[in-house]
């Protein structure tokens, strides 16, 4: 095992012990790389817009208590397990918090967010992969660390800072759904709602894939900015009048696909109906939202228009690699040059990061923690 001596005995980590008390920073033993893993010095961690609602129990996620909480991010490998064949100490990697079972592709959970919904995911989360990334050091499965080409991404290449690279994890989420429904250059795709962090990311990814986007949302101000800041974007407000919004969508001609990223609060929103009704024969729908209840779908239309509905949780490994290539190749822009505002917070200011993330509606801002 290389460079194990660089690891300190203990490190600082943000630990959740209850939903009725805030997470606390504690000093705990530093993890060691076992077979199949690496230990990473976390550089940057993402914060989702609903972080406060996850850890105070509002969203009713199956939380793992106690545990180090966290999300995806960027880190530098410090030690590697004995079976690592290409990952090396010192390497800059994207740290992916979507943990999948090695012996069963249908078992997965989100490290630092919840323990998943199956017996298998609980085995992984309660055992080897309990602690996440809001910490100085984190142990990750080998396959959850994606090498990043520093020469292409940083100062002598595209000129991004390491902090700006945090955007990649957010963009990977909608890429999973958009790639799944095979979005092609020249096609038209509805993104709804487009005004939240992942919806805004979906607009950017769909454009980079060569599509024209119709962005739907309730916030006229944010929709206006999305249109102003991007070519090939049309906007349609969600007014609550499904038929009126359908008419507004149809004015833009044939629509090939619809990408949905609705939060639970939008379960009854009329945009689900208007967007499906607007699709061409054979239209494709990607459902990636966080709605936990059943939703109503226009059944006859799905049948007669032969629509295809596909759900997606996160992305495949191949899709993550594809998305990183789009960023490294400069096709998908990130960072301040692409209008992103990165708000940075120290680990002890995690509560400010959560507040800032909650206010990132509008897609331009990215709240990150620097452990
Ligand atoms: N499938 C996956 O792998 C995956 C991965 C990540 C996230 N998600 C899910 O994606 C969802 C979106 O996440 P997010 O962080 O981008 O945003 P979010 O903060 O959960 O939701 C904000 C977005 O939803 C819109 N919205 C809220 N209530 C609405 C309503 N009643 N009708 C219509 N629109 C409404 C907001 O529009 P306004 O600006 O008008 O309020 C804004 O565009 C979450 O529920 C999350 O669980 C899924």
């Amino acid at each position: 095992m290389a460079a194990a001596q660089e690891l300190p005995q203990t490190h600082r980590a943000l630990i959740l012990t209850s939903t009725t008390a805030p997470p606390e920073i504690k000093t705990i033993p530093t993890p060691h790389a076992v077979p199949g893993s690496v230990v990473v010095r976390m550089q940057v961690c993402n914060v989702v817009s609903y972080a406060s609602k996850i850890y105070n129990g509002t969203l009713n996620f199956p939380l793992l208590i106690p545990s180090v909480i966290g999300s995806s991010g960027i880190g530098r490998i410090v030690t590697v397990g004995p079976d690592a064949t290409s990952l090396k100490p010192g390497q800059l990697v994207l740290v992916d918090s979507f943990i999948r079972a090695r012996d069963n592709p249908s078992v997965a959970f989100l490290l630092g967010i919840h323990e998943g919904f199956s017996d298998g995911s609980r085995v992984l989360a309660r055992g080897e992969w309990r602690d996440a990334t809001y910490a100085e050091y984190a142990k990750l499965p080998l396959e959850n660390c994606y090498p990043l080409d520093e020469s292409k991404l940083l100062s002598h290449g595209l000129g991004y800072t390491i902090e700006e690279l945090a955007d990649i994890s957010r963009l990977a989420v909608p890429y999973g759904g958009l790639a799944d429904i095979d979005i092609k250059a020249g096609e038209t795709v509805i993104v709804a709602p487009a005004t939240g962090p992942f919806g805004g990311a979906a607009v950017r990814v769909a454009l980079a894939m060569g599509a024209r986007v119709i962005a739907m949302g309730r916030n006229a101000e944010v929709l206006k900015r999305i249109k102003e800041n991007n070519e090939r974007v049309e906007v349609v407000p969600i007014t609550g009048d499904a038929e009126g919004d359908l008419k507004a969508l149809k004015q833009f001609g044939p629509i090939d696909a619809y990408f949905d990223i609705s939060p639970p609060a939008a379960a009854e929103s009329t945009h689900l109906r208007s967007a499906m009704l607007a699709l061409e024969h054979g239209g494709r729908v990607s459902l990636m939202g966080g709605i936990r209840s059943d939703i109503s779908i226009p059944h006859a239309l799905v049948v007669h228009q032969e629509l295809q509905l596909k759900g997606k949780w996160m992305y495949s490994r191949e899709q993550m690699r594809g998305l990183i290539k789009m960023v490294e190749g400069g096709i998908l822009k990130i960072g301040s040059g692409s209008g992103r505002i990165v708000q940075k917070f120290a680990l002890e200011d995690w509560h400010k990061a959560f507040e800032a993330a909650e206010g990132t509606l509008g897609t331009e801002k990215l709240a990150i923690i620097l452990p």
Side-chain angles (χ1 to χ4, degrees):
M1 197 189 304
Q5 68 279 10
E6 290 175 23
L7 281 177
Q9 296 262 304
T10 57
H11 73 136
R12 294 163 70 243
L14 187 60
I15 298 181
L16 184 73
T17 48
S18 158
T19 52
T20 54
E24 277 181 277
I25 294 183
K26 295 188 179 176
T27 299
I28 58 170
T30 306
H32 288 274
V34 296
S37 76
V38 299
V39 173
V40 167
R41 176 71 177 94
M42 291 306 303
Q43 310 283 309
V44 184
C45 298
N46 287 86
V47 182
V48 291
S49 61
Y50 40 95
S52 297
K53 290 186 193 148
I54 296 172
Y55 303 117
N56 67 18
T58 306
L59 285 177
N60 213 14
F61 281 4
L63 296 167
L64 188 61
I65 292 175
S67 68
V68 177
I69 57 175
S71 190
S72 295
I74 305 292
R76 261 194 208 285
I77 294 179
V78 183
T79 63
V80 299
D83 54 346
T85 59
S86 64
L87 292 178
K88 300 220 169 3
Q91 210 166 10
L92 190 71
V93 289
L94 182 142
V95 171
D96 176 15
S97 61
F98 190 45
I99 310 269
R100 303 167 188 82
R102 289 171 173 150
D103 55 352
N104 184 348
S106 69
V107 169
F109 77 102
L110 280 167
L111 182 70
I113 292 196
H114 58 58
E115 62 175 7
F117 305 93
S118 68
D119 289 343
S121 69
R122 285 185 281 274
V123 168
L124 295 177
R126 292 179 189 181
E128 201 59 37
W129 311 112
R130 185 176 193 98
D131 289 329
T133 56
Y134 292 169
E136 290 174 302
Y137 294 90
K139 185 183 74 171
L140 280 310
L142 289 169
E143 64 273 21
N144 280 62
C145 292
Y146 293 83
L148 296 173
D149 189 329
E150 293 187 55
S151 66
K152 286 185 180 160
L153 292 167
L154 302 182
S155 50
H156 298 300
L158 292 159
Y160 299 133
T161 61
I162 289 182
E163 286 93 350
E164 287 173 323
L165 302 183
D167 204 11
I168 302 175
S169 304
R170 184 193 279 182
L171 294 163
V173 171
Y175 186 64
L178 291 164
D180 254 15
I181 56 169
D182 195 20
I183 293 300
K184 295 185 212 58
E187 288 192 324
T188 299
V189 56
I190 298 169
V191 173
T195 54
F198 288 110
V203 172
R204 293 163 61 203
V205 174
L207 290 172
M209 292 168 86
R212 179 176 69 141
V213 170
I214 304 177
M216 292 188 83
R218 298 182 303 178
N219 188 324
E221 187 54 39
V222 178
L223 286 182
K224 188 168 162 253
R225 287 208 299 275
I226 292 175
K227 182 159 173 61
E228 279 169 3
N229 296 335
N230 298 286
E231 285 176 17
R232 278 184 281 125
V233 172
E234 305 294 348
V235 298
V236 168
I238 300 172
T239 65
D241 168 11
E243 300 310 317
D245 296 352
L246 171 61
K247 217 169 144 194
L249 288 167
K250 289 223 162 189
Q251 71 180 301
F252 298 115
I255 302 174
D256 304 282
Y258 160 36
F259 174 84
D260 185 87
I261 189 84
S262 296
E268 306 280 327
S269 176
T270 51
H271 74 265
L272 288 141
R273 179 174 168 77
S274 35
M276 283 193 215
L277 288 173
L279 294 177
E280 281 289 279
H281 185 100
R284 295 103 68 197
V285 181
S286 172
L287 297 177
M288 285 200 77
I291 297 174
R292 311 284 310 159
S293 54
D294 293 352
I295 58 163
S296 138
I297 58 161
H299 184 271
L301 174 102
V302 172
V303 171
H304 295 125
Q305 288 286 77
E306 300 185 325
L307 302 187
Q308 300 173 47
L309 270 59
K310 197 153 186 193
K312 186 71 175 181
W313 192 15
M314 304 297 272
Y315 33 73
S316 67
R317 286 179 50 70
E318 191 189 354
Q319 287 164 348
M320 174 59 96
R321 277 193 293 264
L323 191 278
I324 291 172
K325 272 188 211 163
M326 284 169 74
V327 176
E328 287 177 345
I331 294 150
L332 179 51
K333 304 269 189 255
I334 60 170
S336 50
S338 68
R340 271 355 80 195
I341 300 162
V342 181
Q343 298 171 290
K344 305 173 206 175
F345 300 90
L347 188 60
E348 48 273 26
D349 291 331
W350 61 267
H351 50 285
K352 291 185 191 160
F354 285 17
E355 272 170 37
E358 223 169 328
T360 56
L361 301 189
T363 82
E364 297 97 342
K365 290 182 186 158
L366 194 68
I368 53 168
I369 291 176
L370 310 179

